[in-house]
């Protein structure tokens, strides 16, 4: 059983806070390349979720990580695995002792041609628009878990919830999904999943900032 904690927040929950003390060197570098204020808010909110996940595990902030060749964050000096995602004003971070993939998508009306782009022939057909969005997040989470490129890859595997399979082969991954507010959240792992959802509040951000300044 893979236990996954999913930390989430809104880009507006920390608006106005001076977050620099808890932001990693990597995040500072990334933010310096961004030109729009909302992009920076997304970037910071995603890092706040990562910081909260590590802070609750006794890891000192700011976090120390680098990006691998696939663009995924790899933490230095500990054995936690993380995956980040954002959609609209919602940002999230999944953390686990085992490899994990996370995707978040705002619920909205989509054209069913989207399903044609991602479906595997034997896969169960979604009943409605909500299930199409849910399936999209599940497949995105699997791709983040495995490190595959997105283009053309979603049709190569099927989600037979909670199992993920290549045709008739044995499951190679598992997914777990939840709708929270108006967003779908899906995580993927190589073993069956137990997940918890944790809100990162403004008060939590202030607690982390205060603890970091006292170091």
């Amino acid at each position: 059983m893979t236990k996954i904690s999913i930390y989430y927040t809104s880009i507006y929950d920390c608006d106005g806070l001076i977050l620099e003390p808890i932001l990693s060197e990597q995040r500072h570098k990334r933010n310096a390349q961004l030109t729009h204020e909302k992009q920076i808010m997304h970037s910071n909110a995603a890092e706040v979720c990562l910081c909260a996940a590590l802070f609750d595990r006794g890891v000192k902030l700011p976090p120390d990580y680098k990006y691998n060749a696939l663009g995924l964050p790899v933490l230095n000096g500990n054995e936690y695995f993380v995956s980040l995602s954002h959609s609209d004003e919602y940002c999230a971070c999944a953390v686990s002792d085992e490899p994990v993939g996370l995707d978040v998508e705002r619920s909205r009306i989509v054209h069913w041609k989207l399903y044609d782009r991602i479906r595997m022939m034997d896969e169960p057909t979604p009943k409605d628009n909500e299930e199409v969005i849910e399936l999209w997040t599940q497949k995105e989470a699997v791709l983040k878990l495995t490190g595959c490129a997105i283009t053309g890859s979603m049709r190569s595997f099927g989600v037979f919830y909670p199992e993920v399979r290549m045709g008739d082969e044995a499951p190679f991954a598992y997914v777990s999904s939840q709708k929270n507010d108006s967003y779908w959240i899906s995580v993927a792992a190589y073993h069956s999943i137990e997940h918890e959802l944790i809100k990162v509040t403004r008060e939590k951000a202030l607690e982390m900032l205060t603890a970091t300044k006292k170091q």
Side-chain angles (χ1 to χ4, degrees):
M1 177 74 70
T2 300
K3 294 185 178 181
I4 301 172
S5 297
I6 305 169
Y7 288 73
Y8 72 95
T9 194
S10 163
I11 61 173
Y12 300 111
D13 284 341
C14 298
D15 190 25
L17 294 181
I18 300 174
L19 298 170
E20 281 75 8
I22 63 173
L23 299 182
S24 65
E25 180 181 350
Q26 290 284 2
R27 187 63 56 181
H28 283 295
K29 290 180 179 178
R30 174 163 286 196
N31 285 353
Q33 299 173 348
L34 301 176
T35 57
H36 299 291
E37 181 62 27
K38 197 167 184 178
Q39 290 178 321
I40 296 174
M41 292 173 70
H42 273 126
S43 178
N44 287 347
E47 183 105 333
V48 166
C49 290
L50 171 60
C51 287
L54 298 178
F55 184 77
D56 285 351
R57 286 158 177 76
V59 178
K60 288 185 177 182
L61 302 178
D64 181 19
Y65 63 91
K66 60 185 177 181
Y67 291 97
N68 63 18
L70 298 170
L72 302 176
V74 179
L75 297 170
N76 297 322
N78 62 69
E79 299 178 352
Y80 297 123
F81 295 86
V82 299
S83 183
L84 303 170
S85 183
H86 67 79
S87 176
D88 199 15
E89 67 177 59
Y90 200 98
C91 295
C93 172
V95 60
S96 177
D97 293 333
E98 301 179 44
V100 60
L102 166 74
D103 190 58
V104 173
E105 292 289 341
R106 180 175 59 84
S107 179
R108 61 195 186 279
I109 301 299
V110 296
H111 199 288
W112 271 70
K113 285 184 178 179
L114 173 66
Y115 177 57
D116 292 333
R117 287 171 47 199
I118 67 176
R119 69 182 294 269
M120 191 181 78
M121 185 173 297
D122 297 331
E123 200 169 35
T125 302
K127 299 182 181 67
D128 53 30
N129 182 85
E130 288 294 310
E131 290 194 1
V132 173
I133 295 289
E134 181 184 11
L135 179 63
W136 175 273
T137 63
Q138 291 168 351
K139 292 208 169 191
E140 285 271 22
V142 171
L143 292 175
K144 288 186 177 181
L145 169 70
T146 59
C148 296
I150 292 176
T151 305
S153 296
M154 288 188 174
R155 301 183 71 176
S156 65
F157 62 89
V159 176
F160 302 83
Y161 195 84
E163 298 178 349
V164 182
R165 301 200 300 263
M166 298 277 191
D168 295 329
E169 297 179 13
F172 72 90
Y174 294 82
V175 293
S176 183
S177 300
Q178 181 176 341
K179 190 176 182 183
N180 190 58
D181 300 325
S182 57
Y183 294 82
W184 278 102
I185 305 171
S186 290
V187 284
Y190 291 116
H191 303 97
S192 56
I193 296 169
E194 177 182 312
H195 80 259
E196 61 175 342
L197 207 56
I198 302 167
K199 169 72 172 177
V200 182
T201 62
R202 189 180 186 87
E203 290 71 26
K204 183 68 173 183
L206 288 168
E207 179 187 356
M208 293 189 292
L209 284 165
T210 300
T212 302
K213 291 175 182 178
K214 289 181 179 180
Q215 293 178 11

